[in-house]
Amino acid sequence: MSSSYYDVIVLGAQTGPLCAAALLAKRGFRVLVLGQDALSPSYIVGDYELQRVPFNFQYAATPVAQLIFGELGIRQELRQRTEIHQAGVQLCLPKHRFVLTKDTDMFTKEVGREFPKIQSAIAAFARRTAPLCRALDRRLPEGLPFPPDAPNQWLGFLLQYYKMRRMHAVDSFDLLSDFPANHAFTSGIRALVSQFVPSGERNNFQVARAFERARSGISLRGGPDALRQLLSARILAHGGEVWPTERASSVLLERNVAAGIRVHNSGQTISAGYIIAGSPLSHTIQMVEDRRPFEALLERVGEPRLRCTRYTLNVVVPKDCLPDSMFRDTLVIADPTQPIFDGNLLHVQRLDAPPASHASNSMLCVQAMLSPSILRGPKASMQELRQTILDYLGRLLPFTTQAIVLADSPHDGLDADDLGTGSRVSPAEPWHRGPSTMPQEWNFPVRPALGLGAIPIRTPIRKLLICNSQNIPGLAEEGTLIAALIAANIISRADKRAWLRKGRWYSHTYAN
């Protein structure tokens, strides 16, 4: 084993692994972060900086996010960069268009205009979702780790679980049971939940969380790039290291204990006390030579199966072509009776922050969920998808598509379409494009912990932890932050030298 040693090696530069690394670095651990082929949240085409996926920052208001950002000392800086919007998500159906907002008067007017016959049922639905979210806010920090990863932690978790069941009787009613079958409002809420948690599962907690988060509009100036840079800066400030272009080819084991990694480019081996993998479970298994320990895990929780992928199309249009009533986030459901995949459900995010040289333009970041059959089909189906989404976008914004300046997707493998000149624009980094770069969403056979959890954070290999969106998929980005906090707490509690790290001499000698 190499003489290079780190207390913790984190594989992945996504938000979850970076939060775990920043927390551990703040607590005095010597941390190394490898990019592990994590793509930058934005990319360059011509003179434009485009987003790979729409970015929402509503989870910043959750207690877990405030707990992490407060410990890292970045809460005030994030507050200065945060923008609060008047309304949340706008839902557009074939015959209805309404806005979800926390403004009571505005929400009442929207519901009264579109659904006057069931206005009281929608008001009762809104009153039920808020207490469920408040219960989650109170119980999640108390019930950590969530989901339990050791036998001695189940007692505390079950206590919190039965408190929530007794308080709200989650199995005795359905939040959407008061509405007629296949009603437009029900279809809109289900589409919202599918966009929030597209794993196919839906329970009251997920419905309540998706609805309450959609009622608030929160964005971060600078987007996900700013958040990633801020977290990386905290890691470096506390003596950690970040290698964004490096990746580990394998995890080295000693008697079923993770002992280090092998760097892909140089072949260098680096020893570690703990390893946190931010990649999906299938990628983590491939980095281990002996995969037999994972067989028992997959027999217990089931093997995740791909449900859909997220396809993004960026569209640049003149700012004057967009209606003033268009909100930052819009969900478009073309046909509520059909599945949500392959362009039937679009998430359109309006970004009014182009480069200074293009201040007269706005950007629309459009995302659709694709079924696995599209990816397995002929290449022509992927090429036609861009035009299909543009056609759906034309129905939402008539005459706007005729003024498109630039259209590009980082996921279909095609060059950008410069519709102003009728030419194609080659991207700056074509190797970071194509169907393989699309974010993936999974189905999980076993969903413990109120139907919110899936893959445990602890793996069958000691000192190898998993911290990604597969741990608590039922809470989307918030679940990733919870997984990061759990992983950091597991390592911190197992550290036998914690009393040394609190000494001033240790921080001066090692942390710096």
Side-chain angles (χ1 to χ4, degrees):
M1 191 68 67
S2 171
S3 58
S4 300
Y5 178 84
Y6 292 87
D7 296 322
V8 183
I9 295 179
V10 179
L11 306 179
Q14 299 86 354
T15 301
L18 280 181
C19 283
L23 287 171
L24 291 169
K26 178 69 166 55
R27 297 173 185 179
F29 291 85
R30 190 163 182 250
V31 178
L32 171 64
V33 179
L34 273 63
Q36 205 68 15
D37 294 335
L39 298 176
S40 172
S42 61
Y43 66 100
I44 303 297
V45 172
D47 297 333
Y48 295 93
E49 182 178 359
L50 308 176
Q51 298 292 328
R52 293 188 182 274
V53 295
F55 177 71
N56 290 304
F57 204 51
Q58 283 93 337
Y59 62 86
T62 61
V64 173
Q66 291 298 307
L67 183 63
I68 293 176
F69 297 152
E71 182 175 347
L72 296 178
I74 60 176
R75 187 186 300 173
Q76 184 62 30
E77 187 170 355
L78 287 175
R79 184 180 295 126
Q80 294 174 355
R81 297 187 181 187
T82 298
E83 296 180 354
I84 308 297
H85 302 279
Q86 178 186 5
V89 176
Q90 184 181 38
L91 294 174
C92 295
L93 290 90
K95 297 182 180 180
H96 298 275
R97 183 175 299 193
F98 58 99
V99 179
L100 303 180
T101 175
K102 287 188 177 296
D103 187 332
T104 306
D105 295 335
M106 182 178 179
F107 184 67
T108 303
K109 291 180 181 179
E110 292 284 323
V111 171
R113 184 190 71 243
E114 296 293 331
F115 310 106
K117 296 182 180 180
I118 60 169
Q119 187 172 358
S120 59
I122 295 177
F125 168 81
R127 287 194 300 269
R128 286 178 176 179
T129 57
L132 281 175
C133 288
R134 287 196 296 268
L136 278 177
D137 291 342
R138 288 194 302 266
R139 303 305 178 188
L140 285 181
E142 297 176 9
L144 290 177
F146 182 86
D149 52 66
N152 61 346
Q153 297 165 350
W154 270 101
L155 181 60
F157 171 75
L158 289 176
L159 177 62
Q160 303 300 334
Y161 173 78
Y162 284 112
K163 280 184 179 180
M164 297 180 72
R165 288 196 54 158
R166 185 171 62 251
M167 183 181 304
H168 298 283
V170 296
D171 290 336
S172 63
F173 72 95
D174 183 2
L175 284 174
L176 300 175
S177 61
D178 294 339
F179 302 98
N182 300 324
H183 191 271
F185 180 80
T186 306
S187 300
I189 297 300
R190 288 174 179 169
L192 178 67
V193 178
S194 299
Q195 176 70 23
F196 178 71
V197 187
S199 60
E201 300 289 338
R202 186 183 71 250
N203 58 31
N204 285 339
F205 289 104
Q206 293 171 335
V207 171
R209 208 56 160 182
F211 178 74
E212 289 297 321
R213 279 184 52 177
R215 296 179 69 181
S216 60
I218 304 176
S219 61
L220 182 68
R221 286 193 297 272
D225 290 288
L227 181 60
R228 180 177 294 190
Q229 293 172 6
L230 189 57
L231 293 173
S232 300
R234 301 310 295 173
I235 296 172
L236 298 174
H238 293 290
E241 297 184 37
V242 180
W243 299 353
T245 59
E246 294 287 354
R247 61 182 293 264
S249 59
S250 60
V251 175
L252 306 179
L253 306 180
E254 293 182 359
R255 298 180 180 179
N256 202 39
V257 179
I261 63 165
R262 177 173 287 107
V263 182
H264 179 266
N265 293 332
S266 62
Q268 175 188 3
T269 58
I270 304 176
S271 303
Y274 279 87
I275 297 175
I276 299 178
S279 305
L281 178 62
S282 57
H283 297 177
T284 304
I285 295 177
Q286 293 175 3
M287 290 193 295
V288 179
E289 293 183 359
D290 186 5
R291 305 176 186 179
R292 289 176 296 178
F294 285 96
E295 295 179 359
L297 173 64
L298 294 178
E299 290 179 359
R300 177 162 52 91
V301 302
E303 185 174 354
R305 296 187 179 276
L306 181 65
R307 174 173 170 80
C308 65
T309 56
R310 293 181 181 265
Y311 171 90
T312 300
L313 178 65
N314 291 291
V315 179
V316 180
V317 297
K319 186 178 298 185
D320 298 338
C321 293
L322 298 179
D324 296 335
S325 59
M326 183 178 181
F327 292 88
R328 186 176 188 271
D329 290 281
T330 304
L331 281 186
V332 185
I333 303 99
D335 187 353
T337 63
Q338 298 298 320
I340 61 174
F341 304 116
D342 306 335
N344 193 37
L345 173 64
L346 299 181
H347 177 198
V348 183
Q349 186 171 88
R350 177 177 180 173
L351 302 175
D352 291 327
S357 59
H358 301 281
S360 61
N361 293 334
S362 290
M363 300 182 186
L364 299 178
C365 186
V366 185
Q367 186 180 79
M369 291 184 289
L370 306 184
S371 59
S373 60
I374 290 290
L375 301 179
R376 294 193 298 264
K379 187 177 180 180
S381 60
M382 284 292 298
Q383 296 176 349
E384 295 173 357
L385 184 62
R386 181 183 296 193
Q387 186 59 44
T388 301
I389 293 180
L390 288 177
D391 293 340
Y392 279 126
L393 193 62
R395 301 177 188 176
L396 174 68
L397 302 169
F399 309 109
T400 300
T401 54
Q402 301 176 4
I404 291 178
V405 178
L406 182 78
D408 179 67
S409 171
H411 299 143
D412 55 15
L414 303 177
D415 291 339
D417 290 321
D418 189 340
L419 301 182
T421 61
S423 61
R424 292 290 184 97
V425 180
S426 300
E429 298 178 341
W431 50 88
H432 288 163
R433 297 165 63 89
S436 61
T437 64
M438 285 191 288
Q440 298 176 332
E441 303 291 347
W442 303 87
N443 271 333
F444 302 94
V446 179
R447 298 295 296 270
L450 300 175
L452 305 177
I455 304 299
I457 294 174
R458 291 183 187 269
T459 67
I461 297 176
R462 291 181 55 200
K463 299 189 176 182
L464 174 61
L465 307 179
I466 292 179
C467 175
N468 56 35
S469 59
Q470 294 182 331
N471 297 122
I472 312 175
L475 293 178
E477 298 92 345
E478 181 186 0
T480 305
L481 294 185
I482 295 174
L485 183 59
I486 295 173
N489 288 343
I490 289 175
I491 296 175
S492 300
R493 292 167 183 166
D495 182 32
K496 298 180 180 179
R497 297 176 295 170
W499 63 276
L500 285 175
R501 301 184 193 278
K502 296 179 181 179
R504 183 177 301 175
W505 67 272
Y506 182 90
S507 61
H508 283 295
T509 305
Y510 295 97
N512 296 328

